[in-house]
Amino acid sequence: MNIRMLDLSGQYKTISKEIVEKLDEVITSSQFILGENVKKLESDIARFSNVHYGVGVGNGSDAIHIALQAAGVGEGDEIITSTFTFFATGGAIARANATPVFVDIDPTTFNIDPEKLEAAITSKTKAIIPVHLYGQMADMEAINEIASKHDLVVIEDAAQAIGAKQNGKTVGELGTAATYSFFPTKNLGAYGDGGMIVTDNEELAENARVIRVHGSKPKYHHHVLGYNSRLDELQAAILNVKFPYLDKWSAARRERANYYTQNLNDKLNGVVTTPIEKEGNYHVYHQYTLRVPNRDDLQVYLKEQGIATMIYYPIPLHMQPVFSSLGYSEGDLPHAEKAAKEALSLPMYPELEKEKQDYVIDKIVEFYEQ
């Protein structure tokens, strides 16, 4: 059996007619930049996030960078974030001419540990970027309490968590702003790059709109240094077709995650640690990530059995060579460093068949019972 991490072909079969019709409509209109499809998607995603404003940009990395700049972050500012995340989070901070300050994670959720935040705050701290890793929200109540105490901006990195909830509130409405990625592998994925900033802050939204078009308002009048980073009309059209299915797809991911969890716990009795969904959270399982002993050997074994897996992420950001000047050393953020050696993500997508899940589960059990 050959099992991919993600197979988008099944999804496409269910929506291909709608996609083709919508793309033909856009091409016939000849409106490819910041047209009606982008406006509709911005409005719909903002409403979905329970905020007033959505700003489509070129990709999820730019969404973080532009959100920071739009919030007034610049040279000399420090931005606190998790060390256990994709490079884009730290990279966006550095590209905004700010200094990333990395803190450790809660080992049960892989998300930033609020208890580590306050010790990292200095007079230069401007913002916190909690990353909602793998599809589960960080502890926003605790984070916002600290941010409010110190008058800090909170930018939610929700690249992996569109549709996630916490105590009845959704991603986007709990921070100053939130950023989404529409990279093809995401829960709501385009057929290329795309991203969005959502916020209830009118000034931040307007700043972001200006920054995404070379800092121009009106056209050819440049008051700030901006970028060419716009969500294009074709990708927005594709996302407009997909968006109405998102809740259904999220529910399907949760069903598959529960199936993995129940069977792995029943058959391995704690040998591997299955994902922990914190009380009050609605996890959308962008990734289904285990903590496992002998991780690298298990990954090799599963590959030999035709099962794709991924390690998200093998090197925490504080240990990346590009950030060596920040002065971190091995052992500084031990929970993240341990997670980097144990985390293994299994195949996960809404159309994943139970037969394939059973095969994955059986092969993991087989490895540990050898």
Side-chain angles (χ1 to χ4, degrees):
M1 193 175 289
N2 183 31
I3 305 176
R4 301 177 185 177
M5 276 295 294
L6 172 66
D7 186 351
L8 291 171
S9 61
Q11 181 189 92
Y12 181 66
K13 287 176 184 175
T14 66
I15 58 175
S16 59
K17 187 173 183 291
E18 293 176 81
I19 292 285
V20 171
E21 287 176 355
K22 182 58 74 171
L23 290 179
D24 182 67
E25 181 183 300
V26 173
I27 294 167
T28 299
S29 77
S30 297
Q31 175 65 61
F32 299 113
I33 302 296
L34 298 182
E36 292 305 312
N37 279 284
V38 171
K39 291 176 184 176
K40 174 175 170 48
L41 187 71
E42 288 175 335
S43 176
D44 286 350
I45 298 295
R47 191 179 306 110
F48 182 73
S49 306
N50 288 326
V51 297
H52 286 95
Y53 310 104
V55 183
V57 295
N59 53 70
S61 303
D62 283 358
I64 304 170
H65 180 194
I66 291 172
L68 287 171
Q69 185 174 336
V73 169
E75 190 170 358
D77 292 331
E78 294 179 349
I79 312 300
I80 300 173
T81 194
S82 171
T83 187
F84 194 64
T85 179
F86 181 56
F87 180 79
T89 314
I93 295 168
R95 287 194 294 130
N97 294 318
T99 301
V101 175
F102 300 117
V103 298
D104 213 348
I105 59 170
D106 175 346
T108 63
T109 65
F110 300 104
N111 282 326
I112 194 169
D113 186 348
E115 293 185 4
K116 304 292 194 301
L117 279 176
E118 205 135 23
I121 294 172
T122 72
S123 60
K124 296 180 180 179
T125 306
K126 178 79 172 185
I128 302 168
I129 303 182
V131 182
H132 302 322
L133 202 67
Y134 303 144
Q136 176 166 216
M137 292 177 70
D139 185 346
M140 291 301 296
E141 182 178 345
I143 291 166
N144 281 332
E145 185 177 332
I146 293 166
S148 178
K149 178 180 175 182
H150 296 275
D151 194 25
L152 302 177
V153 170
V154 177
I155 307 292
E156 300 175 72
D157 180 346
Q160 300 182 6
I162 189 167
K165 295 181 178 64
Q166 189 165 92
N167 298 321
K169 295 187 178 294
T170 190
V171 166
E173 65 178 310
L174 290 172
T176 311
T179 62
Y180 294 127
S181 169
F182 301 128
F183 189 75
T185 61
K186 295 298 191 285
N187 292 24
L188 180 62
Y191 293 163
D193 279 313
M196 189 172 290
I197 301 159
V198 294
T199 182
D200 244 350
N201 186 308
E202 185 177 7
E203 182 181 2
L204 191 152
E206 180 58 22
N207 290 344
R209 290 191 195 99
V210 172
I211 293 166
R212 73 176 174 180
V213 289
H214 301 283
S216 173
K217 184 185 179 183
K219 194 171 184 178
Y220 303 127
H221 294 256
H222 303 269
H223 302 281
V224 298
L225 282 174
Y227 313 93
N228 179 17
S229 182
R230 301 164 298 200
L231 178 62
D232 78 71
E233 194 74 359
L234 286 168
Q235 298 302 339
I238 290 162
L239 291 164
N240 281 329
V241 171
K242 286 185 156 195
F243 177 61
Y245 297 95
L246 179 59
D247 284 341
K248 175 184 174 183
W249 291 338
S250 295
R253 285 175 177 271
R254 288 176 58 80
E255 287 175 10
R256 282 146 185 80
N258 290 336
Y259 189 79
Y260 270 141
T261 295
Q262 181 178 335
N263 283 277
L264 286 168
N265 287 340
D266 287 349
K267 295 181 179 183
L268 284 172
N269 194 29
V271 173
V272 303
T273 303
T274 54
I276 294 170
E277 184 170 337
K278 279 291 188 78
E279 185 178 354
N281 277 358
Y282 182 86
H283 196 323
V284 293
Y285 291 97
H286 172 62
Q287 301 296 341
Y288 183 88
T289 303
L290 302 172
R291 278 181 176 270
V292 299
N294 304 319
R295 191 268 310 280
D296 294 345
D297 290 341
L298 173 60
Q299 185 177 44
V300 169
Y301 182 77
L302 294 177
K303 183 178 180 180
E304 290 170 349
Q305 310 307 312
I307 300 168
T309 59
M310 288 292 291
I311 297 171
Y312 303 107
Y313 297 94
I315 306 174
L317 295 189
H318 73 284
M319 298 301 294
Q320 291 288 351
V322 72
F323 291 131
S324 60
S325 63
L326 298 177
Y328 293 96
S329 301
E330 187 172 356
D332 285 349
L333 304 176
H335 290 308
E337 292 169 29
K338 188 170 189 288
K341 294 179 174 65
E342 296 179 347
L344 187 69
S345 296
L346 304 183
M348 169 56 71
Y349 48 94
E351 300 79 19
L352 182 61
E353 299 96 331
K354 192 167 289 186
E355 177 189 9
K356 291 183 177 179
Q357 284 194 274
D358 285 335
Y359 182 75
V360 173
I361 292 161
D362 288 346
K363 292 304 175 182
I364 294 172
V365 172
E366 192 175 280
F367 173 82
Y368 285 110
E369 290 185 345
Q370 290 182 97

